[in-house]
Amino acid sequence: MKLAVELIEAANLLPKDSRGASNPFVEIHFNNESQRSQTRHITLDPSWNETFVFLVPDSSLLANLTITASVLHDSGDGRGQFMGQVVLSGSSLGPAVSSSIQWFPLEKRFFFSRVRGELCLRAYYLDEEDELILNTSLKKEPEKSKNDAEEVKTKKQKEPVTRVFQAVAAGGDKKKAAPAPSGKGGAAGPAKPDYNLIETSPSIPALTRERVNSKISSTYDLVEVMQYLFVYVVKARDLPTKDMTGFLDPFVEVKLGNYKGITKILEKNNNPVWGQVFAFSQHQTQADTLEVIVKDKDVLLDDIVGRVKVNLTDVPHRTAPDGPIAPLWRWLEYKDGTKLRHGEINFAVWFGTQADEAFPDAWQSDAHDVSYTGLINTRSKVYFSPRLAYLRVSVLQAQDLVPVDKSKPPNATLKVQYGQQSRKTRPGTPSGSVNPTWNEDLLFVACPPFKDQLVITVEDSGQSLGRLLVPLSSVARNDQGKRIPPKWYNLLKPGATIDEVKREERFSSKLHLKITLDTGYHVIEEPVQYSSNFQPASKKIQKSAIGLLELGVLSARNLTGTKAPYCVARYGPKWVRTRTLLNTTTPRWNEQFTWEVFDPCTILTVAVFENCHISDKGSTDKKLGKVRIRISTLQTDKVYTHFYPLFVLQQSGLKKNGEVHLVVRFTCTAWANMLVQYGRPLLPKMHYSQPIAIMLQDQLRSRAIALETERLGSAEPPLRKEVVDYIIEVPSQMWSMRKSKANFYRVTSIISSLSSIGKWINNILQWKNPFTTLLVHVLFITLVFFPELILPTVFLYLFAIGLYNYRFRPSRPLHLDPRLAQADVANSDELDEEFDTFPTTKNMDLVRMRYDRLRTVWGRIQTVAGDIATQWERFNALLSWRDPRATRLFIIFSLIVAVLVYVTPFQVVALLVGLYILRHPKFRSKSPSPSFNFYKRLPSRSDMLL
């Protein structure tokens, strides 16, 4: 039998020379035989397309053999520098017909190896027919490879060089690496996954160190400067009339080239006041004259009252922070330029930038064909979430309840209603008593201004025994978790009127309650793992800001399925929304926003949507994708400029909807407070002094999201429910095969790091590198005789490793990775299962198939859990006398060891044990050690299972 390995290409390798590139080649080892590929010079994404054939001495031994493909850097000294490796088991190989091209993440050789990138391979074994085909193709390969090399060289000369950061797949089972899509004809090299984060160099003042006109505000240094022509139409006076009524229905048309904006129509008003601003983008207009035309609204054709023409060469330039341009009164003119007898209009014209304070509320030339109602939904706005708080009602006891049916004892429960939230206690104890006790806490989410009333009702079998109205304005605030004494409240009789609430009755049933507004909590509406805010509701106990976060939303490109895109960003209680740009898939927003940062371990979320409310369609806004950026991963004062990919996971699969261009900068203003923040609890203290149950947190979170959505939706323009839900997006707790795979690969990547430590230790024990093993001997003997150096050595070693890794620190922020989430390889059935409703609505055959698959997956997990339990039971069996001979041997051995360790100095014992473990392989047996054999023979309870 023969074995073939096709070496296709590699991607995103680690740079090894001063130019930021490397000279990679690959060595493939199999059964004590090595073959080497050609060297590709000055590249991090080499392509080989070479095939290597190895002889398999015995086909029955293939499953026990491994293929190791090591990527090395040719430094010119004859020795290759290690860049990563891929190890394939012979048991994972199949025939050529069933094999496919696969991408494998490069692994470490040792624990401290630095690796990065992926290697594309195809490995399979050959029969006689496959071998004949392969030999024929290899004869034609030299000529073809020469032509391919020339073609690749020509392409590289034509293509611009772009710095691309490619997401690397999480470590996992090499047998299950995702097959890459094939090229043309389904044969040669696979297309690279398009999950890239692209670094850019936009012409923004923060990078170019320039300021337009030397006066642009520093708050707009993260966006490209965009020039606009602003027209501020204030009012008109003494307009002439042409009809018998003596009144006009005036409006103003501002026209610049092919673009025109229209003010609102004011009926029967000869001295109208509009106060509207129009902004014309300079890159969209080519006219040199601005026309301001006053018209009278008519049924068929609007009448022109008069006009004013302004030559753009006479328009002044205004730069922030200059004051506003004073509007001028101008005489209205006829078309031929002669002045009207009476009629003037007051307006101002100036050139400015997006830093102008009139820009956010101005009519945009991009929305020139939108109605006034639709125009409101296109504007840039800032929103703030309400400061929510938890309302706690501690129900203690009641006295002198009067049952409705006195012939049977009451079974009283207490119902509390606050707005649309309702909670009910369990029946009071003792049962049947008119003085029941509950000692139960009920929690609600309250929204300012806290003017609603609490409605508390005591019920017995659905019948009211009395009620109580408590205005929230009278409730005590608790922001420090202090003990607030409870109060006795008089219960009103069923059916009592509002007037009776104010009347104090001498004899009435009473309730013992403690009602507090717990403002010391942070109301959790976001998932904690990517929350943007951990501040408590009370301003008194909030910490001071530690810095500023600045975001520049520059542009987007290659957007699909939209012609009216806009962005929404959320950090902390502040939401921002860019303006909507119409009829474009490459919008240029160039808007900048700023937030105060109170905790570095928080997340900024930016999402892109399609505005579906321009023409009052009433449909929901379409989501195009989002970006999450963790603030703690950003370097201070560094400007990050990248194109972020936009992905949406749908039932039909993963869809890329384009890329958004963002600029991010984090500035620290209080270094000491920021460093202290890392030692503080993530949530306010009341979350730990008076914790809330997990199940109750989920109920409160859903209500908090509903209140926040209601408040943001009442703004103008509204921030709609689908937008809020998508940015907050609480992860589903339902079973998902895709998420299970992603978490499994995350675990295996951690285990692979531990296995790297095991390999490093094993190489020392096997004397693979004698010099390293001798150094370990010297270090071990030194620490044995000077044990006070153990802790200093460990921490000094950690310091040295951290200092060494500083050279390889990440240069880009984290972003959503579809490969880590297994979203790119999830099949249609897995996605259909993930997006299924609960309970399911699928047919029984499909549900049965998924149930069987779930049984298979959990069967493997069950086996692993059983193995872990077996090892622990064997450990317990050492002293449990389950196996009397084994326990007798172990306790006698323990007694002997105790005596020997007592009479022998500890340093001598540690030295002998260490030297025994580090002994040379010549003094080792290939059989397992006696201690390992003894442990494996211990009994467990696995043989007691049915």
Side-chain angles (χ1 to χ4, degrees), residues 99-145:
S99 64
S100 61
I101 296 174
Q102 296 178 332
W103 283 90
F104 298 92
L106 293 177
E107 297 180 340
K108 299 179 180 181
R109 179 188 292 169
F110 306 111
F111 176 67
F112 303 108
S113 301
R114 295 291 304 182
V115 301
R116 189 184 75 183
E118 297 171 310
L119 188 63
C120 187
L121 297 173
R122 181 186 178 209
Y124 49 88
Y125 58 78
L126 300 168
D127 53 22
E128 294 181 358
E129 184 178 354
D130 294 332
E131 185 178 352
L132 180 61
I133 296 174
L134 180 63
N135 291 334
T136 305
S137 63
L138 289 177
K139 290 179 182 180
K140 299 179 181 180
E141 187 173 341
E143 181 180 355
K144 181 180 177 182
S145 61

Side-chain angles (χ1 to χ4, degrees), residues 327-393:
L328 299 177
W329 284 101
R330 304 171 192 258
W331 282 100
L332 292 176
E333 301 174 349
Y334 292 108
K335 190 173 183 180
D336 58 2
T338 59
K339 293 184 180 179
L340 275 69
R341 291 185 178 181
H342 50 86
E344 295 177 277
I345 184 169
N346 185 258
F347 66 93
V349 184
W350 71 93
F351 283 109
T353 67
Q354 70 267 42
D356 200 296
E357 68 271 7
F359 179 76
D361 292 326
W363 173 94
Q364 301 289 328
S365 57
D366 297 313
H368 65 279
D369 57 349
V370 177
S371 64
Y372 182 76
T373 306
L375 182 64
I376 297 176
N377 292 316
T378 65
R379 287 176 174 169
S380 174
K381 291 294 179 182
V382 176
Y383 308 82
F384 283 91
S385 299
R387 193 179 299 275
L388 303 177
Y390 288 135
L391 174 64
R392 185 186 298 269
V393 180

